[in-house]
Amino acid sequence: MKLEAVDYQSPTAAQDFVESLRQTGFGVLKNHPIAQRSVSDIYQNWEAFFNSPEKENFVYHKETQDGFFPKSVSEVAKGHKKKDIKEYYHYYPWGQCPEGLKQEIHAYYESSLALASELLNWIEAESPDSVSKHYREPLSNMIKDSGQTLLRILHYPPLVGDEEPDAIRAAAHEDINLITILPAANEPGLQVKLKDGSWLDVPSDFGYLIVNIGDMLQEASGHHFPSTTHRVINPQGTDTTKARISLPLFLHPRPDVVLSDKYTADSYLKERLRELGVV
């Protein structure tokens, strides 16, 4: 089995894309509206940022979680004990950002957000009536005016040999949010866990856009759409000297959005952040 890229411009794009999400929790789009040149420039400019001492001027605010997260405070995936081998920057339109990088990253944030809204409409339109009746409001409306949607600029540095045994770039985990939009990274390594427990490489062809289901959409859809386990494995051989940059946009509903009888978006997020040890 492999993940097939769906042509965004195909007349059956919505059906094919949502079917892929339903079967694997992941969908891959090609010929989509996100400009490859924009993504390439962001990778280059932010890699320079991560390799400079300037990043220390933007250390994250503990209360609002915006800014630079050094490797020393990297996440520990739920159910794991080793920190991921990564550092990252949390960009929110209202948060701190290096002045020279803000215009470019904000333009990307806005264009990706617009596409995400369209993809949520696809998901809702292709949901069976038995599933869509669970949605307390239109899916695309859940993210409207939300200050919680997060663009994370991830930097996986080259491996130097002093990493903790068994630590990898991103341990197996599920995302918390509704959906995540991710341009193919500048290096491979992303894998998705299949129903039989095996791991499948997610296509890393530059220009592809990868979308996956998060826990909140799984909850809101009554588990019709699976929040799929994924990870980023360490490179092998000469590739260990290469850094990896990726740009996941995590689509978060407004805190007041009702996901199910059990959770609002706010209560769900706080529960998961406590489990991760972030708050």
Side-chain angles (χ1 to χ4, degrees):
M1 179 182 178
K2 67 176 183 176
L3 283 168
E4 298 285 353
V6 173
D7 190 336
Y8 171 83
Q9 300 179 24
S10 163
T12 61
Q15 300 97 299
D16 297 341
F17 173 74
V18 176
E19 179 61 19
S20 180
L21 290 178
R22 171 80 176 111
Q23 294 302 321
T24 69
F26 270 74
V28 180
L29 288 174
K30 61 183 180 181
N31 297 326
H32 54 81
I34 303 298
Q36 291 184 40
R37 178 59 186 269
S38 168
V39 174
S40 180
D41 288 347
I42 288 170
Y43 286 165
Q44 182 178 341
N45 293 334
W46 280 85
E47 184 160 11
F49 171 80
F50 284 116
N51 289 332
S52 78
E54 183 187 8
K55 64 188 180 185
E56 303 298 339
N57 298 330
F58 294 91
V59 171
Y60 72 102
H61 296 134
K62 199 165 186 178
E63 303 77 20
T64 52
Q65 298 282 298
D66 58 309
F68 169 64
F69 289 71
K71 196 163 67 167
S72 61
V73 297
S74 184
E75 293 172 314
V76 177
K78 183 180 177 181
H80 295 265
K81 296 181 179 179
K82 302 289 178 69
K83 287 182 179 180
D84 291 344
I85 308 169
K86 66 189 182 188
E87 57 185 357
Y88 49 93
Y89 196 101
H90 279 184
Y91 173 76
Y92 297 96
W94 46 261
Q96 59 176 327
C97 185
E99 195 59 39
L101 298 173
K102 185 163 188 176
Q103 182 176 350
E104 178 181 68
I105 203 70
H106 184 71
Y108 174 80
Y109 182 99
E110 289 293 330
S111 61
S112 298
L113 190 60
L115 178 58
S117 182
E118 180 182 12
L119 297 181
L120 285 170
N121 286 336
W122 285 7
I123 292 168
E124 183 166 356
E126 296 298 322
S127 295
D129 291 341
S130 59
V131 173
S132 59
K133 71 180 184 181
H134 292 290
Y135 303 145
R136 306 303 174 93
E137 60 183 277
L139 294 179
S140 60
N141 196 61
M142 291 182 179
I143 63 170
K144 187 178 180 183
D145 301 322
S146 172
Q148 301 296 309
T149 289
L150 162 67
L151 179 59
R152 174 181 282 181
I153 304 101
L154 271 161
H155 179 236
Y156 302 98
L159 303 183
V160 295
D162 63 352
E163 293 79 20
E164 282 192 277
D166 302 324
I168 64 173
R169 283 180 159 176
H173 66 284
E174 300 81 41
D175 291 345
I176 302 171
N177 43 290
L178 286 173
I179 61 172
T180 302
I181 290 187
L182 175 73
N186 64 338
E187 293 292 330
L190 179 62
Q191 295 183 324
V192 56
K193 192 173 187 179
L194 299 178
K195 294 173 183 176
D196 65 3
S198 63
W199 290 95
L200 177 69
D201 290 326
V202 175
S204 60
D205 307 56
F206 191 66
Y208 280 7
L209 195 72
I210 299 147
V211 181
N212 66 274
I213 299 294
D215 291 347
M216 289 187 180
L217 183 54
Q218 176 176 269
E219 183 70 22
S221 68
H223 289 245
H224 178 76
F225 290 106
S227 179
T228 306
T229 304
H230 52 287
R231 67 184 182 182
V232 179
I233 60 172
N234 293 343
Q236 301 294 320
T238 58
D239 285 344
T240 60
T241 63
K242 297 178 181 177
R244 186 177 187 273
I245 296 272
S246 71
L247 276 180
L249 180 72
F250 300 105
L251 277 299
H252 277 276
R254 301 182 317 278
D256 62 287
V257 166
V258 178
L259 299 174
S260 66
D261 291 340
K262 187 177 180 181
Y263 291 106
T264 63
D266 183 60
S267 67
Y268 198 103
L269 178 62
K270 285 177 177 174
E271 178 179 289
R272 287 296 306 275
L273 292 179
R274 285 194 295 269
E275 290 172 349
L276 291 170
V278 175
V279 295

